[in-house]
Amino acid sequence: MTLNPLTREELLADDGDDASFLDYSSTVYMSPAKLTLQRIYSQATSGAQQKEGTKPIDPASASASKGKPRLLLMGQRRSGKSSISSVVFHKLPPNETLFLESTARIQKDSMASFMDYQVWDFPGQIDVFDNANFDLDAIFGGIGALIWVIDAQDDYLEAVSRLNATVLSLQRSYPNINIEVFIHKVDGLSDDYKLDIQRDITIRIQDELSDHGFENAPVTFHLTSIYNHSIFEAFSKVIQKLIPRLGTLESILTNLCRMCHFEKAYLFDVLSKIYIATDSSPADMASYEICSDYIDVIIDITEVYGTWQRSDESRKKLEGGPWSAKLEDQIGCPTAESCLVLHDGNKPIMLREVDRYLALVAIMRDGSYSKMPLVNMNVDAVVEGLKEFFTITKAKRPAS
């Protein structure tokens, strides 16, 4: 298998601010004495971090990241922005987000994926529109989407008011920005109560925008929680809006399902388990959860039994006689491939690696495992088409 998870250094660029995450991960195995020293140090530096949180965006760092679409996480304090970022992009277990400290300054992460993008986590106490020191064009100029997080278990009237003010300010200068509202922490709430909260928030926002003459503002609402797959589903919808020619990807997967008699097919970003495309059949949360968990299993197995970096001496020995061929030419199937049969039904799940970042996962129908030669031929053709698709779209992306 070659579906190796990327190292942390590869995932985050040097300009990403990851200090708080590293501090947290380093305290997991600390002794009580070290934890006490860490607490004293955090208290001593908290005042300096609060002041640093109000500094404007550095123009040098903003220009360095120009050209990468950005996802901005905004909202009230303690609404769950840092928890969302840690669970989705850093694979932090949801139950460990309880120990995350409140964000004191803007956290910037550059994600190395099929589409290089950035995730900016804004502290809740910072209002970029009230502070003249912030360069709004540097923040919102190359933005992909603004994600506003609202705590559904708290009084959300102030959060809705701030969101309305933010949307009105953006519509005048940056009308093409996608506004994604995450109605968060809905776990534990009844289905009827969730819908009532979503309906109330939607009406309050749309009425306010309509009163100011913005009838069709690009605002979308999602019910999310880090304790289930709803947060990954919501981010999948956000990322799909940033992909050029998304309809082409959906057509490719739809044709694959028709030719191979698949029930459902997903194109996953392995790093975050966000699916960037699926076929045209109705979305099914259960099938997405199964495929998402399947990727976790494959990655865990690959970490133990996966490939490793060979030394130059080892490669020369293997590429020498009696084969006298490059190592890549000696491998029968260079892609990661696996198949799992569910116990509750004779439905195999197939995974095929597209490249280092993407994987094609499909749920097959009953009895389709006997047609694996035809399935493999069609999947190989689709994988080559997907590689060509992303090569063309990257080549046509305007240079910054």
Side-chain angles (χ1 to χ4, degrees):
M1 293 183 183
T2 59
L3 193 60
N4 284 325
L6 304 179
T7 62
R8 182 142 188 87
E9 291 76 11
E10 292 176 306
L11 300 181
L12 300 176
D14 293 337
D15 60 342
D17 182 7
D18 202 33
S20 61
F21 186 87
L22 293 177
D23 289 343
Y24 165 75
S25 59
S26 62
T27 59
V28 175
Y29 302 104
M30 280 188 175
S31 64
K34 287 185 177 181
L35 286 174
T36 302
L37 292 175
Q38 180 72 19
R39 191 180 305 111
I40 294 174
Y41 174 78
S42 299
Q43 293 174 355
T45 57
S46 60
Q49 288 182 343
Q50 291 289 342
K51 294 180 181 179
E52 188 176 353
T54 61
K55 290 183 178 180
I57 301 295
D58 183 9
S61 61
S63 61
S65 60
K66 188 177 180 181
K68 295 182 179 180
R70 290 193 293 270
L71 304 179
L72 305 187
L73 285 170
M74 291 185 172
Q76 298 290 92
R77 297 182 72 252
R78 311 302 302 176
S79 59
K81 303 182 298 297
S82 299
S83 299
I84 290 174
S85 178
S86 299
V87 170
V88 176
F89 300 107
H90 301 296
K91 294 189 178 298
L92 186 69
N95 59 325
E96 295 186 11
T97 58
L98 299 174
F99 307 104
L100 290 177
E101 296 181 358
S102 181
T103 304
R105 52 185 176 179
I106 299 175
Q107 306 280 348
K108 297 186 291 183
D109 288 342
S110 293
M111 315 307 297
S113 181
F114 74 99
M115 175 181 64
D116 292 337
Y117 60 94
Q118 293 186 325
V119 180
W120 289 16
D121 182 6
F122 281 76
Q125 68 272 14
I126 293 181
D127 191 340
V128 296
F129 297 101
D130 289 343
N131 194 332
N133 293 325
F134 282 102
D135 184 358
L136 296 182
D137 190 59
I139 299 175
F140 299 105
I143 186 177
L146 169 62
I147 301 173
W148 192 276
V149 183
I150 297 178
D151 187 353
Q153 300 183 12
D154 197 3
D155 184 10
Y156 51 78
L157 295 181
E158 184 179 354
V160 171
S161 177
R162 281 191 59 189
L163 172 58
N164 282 329
T166 301
V167 174
L168 291 175
S169 300
L170 292 177
Q171 284 298 301
R172 297 185 181 96
S173 303
Y174 309 97
N176 296 325
I177 293 178
N178 295 323
I179 311 295
E180 309 289 340
V181 181
F182 284 8
I183 304 174
H184 195 48
K185 301 182 182 179
V186 297
D187 50 283
L189 303 179
S190 64
D191 293 338
D192 292 339
Y193 190 52
K194 293 178 189 177
L195 296 177
D196 289 342
I197 291 178
Q198 184 179 13
R199 188 181 303 109
D200 183 45
I201 293 177
T202 303
I203 292 175
R204 290 177 182 273
I205 293 175
Q206 291 180 347
D207 288 349
E208 181 72 17
L209 296 179
S210 297
D211 292 342
H212 288 80
F214 299 104
E215 296 288 345
N216 299 315
V219 182
T220 310
F221 300 88
H222 310 268
L223 294 172
T224 61
S225 171
I226 60 174
Y227 293 97
N228 53 41
H229 290 78
S230 61
I231 189 63
F232 296 95
E233 174 81 12
F235 262 104
S236 298
K237 302 298 184 183
V238 174
I239 293 295
Q240 287 172 17
K241 294 181 180 180
L242 307 181
I243 300 176
R245 307 292 183 184
L246 178 63
T248 303
L249 288 178
E250 294 178 349
S251 298
I252 292 175
L253 296 180
T254 300
N255 291 333
L256 177 65
C257 291
R258 187 179 70 253
M259 297 298 297
C260 299
H261 303 287
F262 290 163
E263 279 193 0
K264 195 69 178 172
Y266 295 96
L267 185 60
F268 273 94
D269 176 20
V270 178
L271 165 67
S272 59
K273 294 189 300 182
I274 293 173
Y275 71 91
I276 66 173
T278 184
D279 60 283
S280 59
S281 63
D284 181 13
M285 180 60 73
S287 65
Y288 168 72
E289 291 177 357
I290 293 175
C291 295
S292 177
D293 293 339
Y294 186 36
I295 289 181
D296 279 339
V297 173
I298 296 300
I299 289 179
D300 291 341
I301 295 177
T302 306
E303 287 181 344
V304 180
Y305 302 103
T307 58
W308 62 95
Q309 296 294 330
R310 301 179 185 271
S311 63
D312 294 338
E313 182 179 353
S314 176
R315 290 184 66 90
K316 290 180 180 179
K317 186 179 298 184
L318 292 173
E319 292 176 353
W323 302 280
S324 299
K326 291 184 177 181
L327 190 61
E328 291 78 8
D329 298 334
Q330 301 180 35
I331 299 176
C333 181
T335 58
E337 180 182 355
S338 59
C339 190
L340 175 70
V341 178
L342 301 181
H343 290 288
D344 58 348
N346 191 24
K347 296 181 180 180
I349 298 180
M350 182 179 186
L351 181 145
R352 176 66 64 85
E353 178 186 5
V354 177
D355 57 21
R356 192 178 186 184
Y357 307 110
L358 298 175
L360 176 64
V361 185
I363 299 180
M364 306 169 67
R365 297 185 186 275
D366 297 347
S368 56
Y369 193 72
S370 59
K371 302 178 181 179
M372 284 305 295
L374 178 61
V375 170
N376 284 329
M377 182 184 69
N378 289 326
V379 170
D380 288 341
V382 167
V383 167
E384 292 301 320
L386 292 174
K387 291 180 180 178
E388 184 177 355
F389 171 86
F390 285 104
T391 301
I392 293 175
T393 53
K394 286 182 179 180
K396 291 187 176 182
R397 190 171 300 170
S400 56

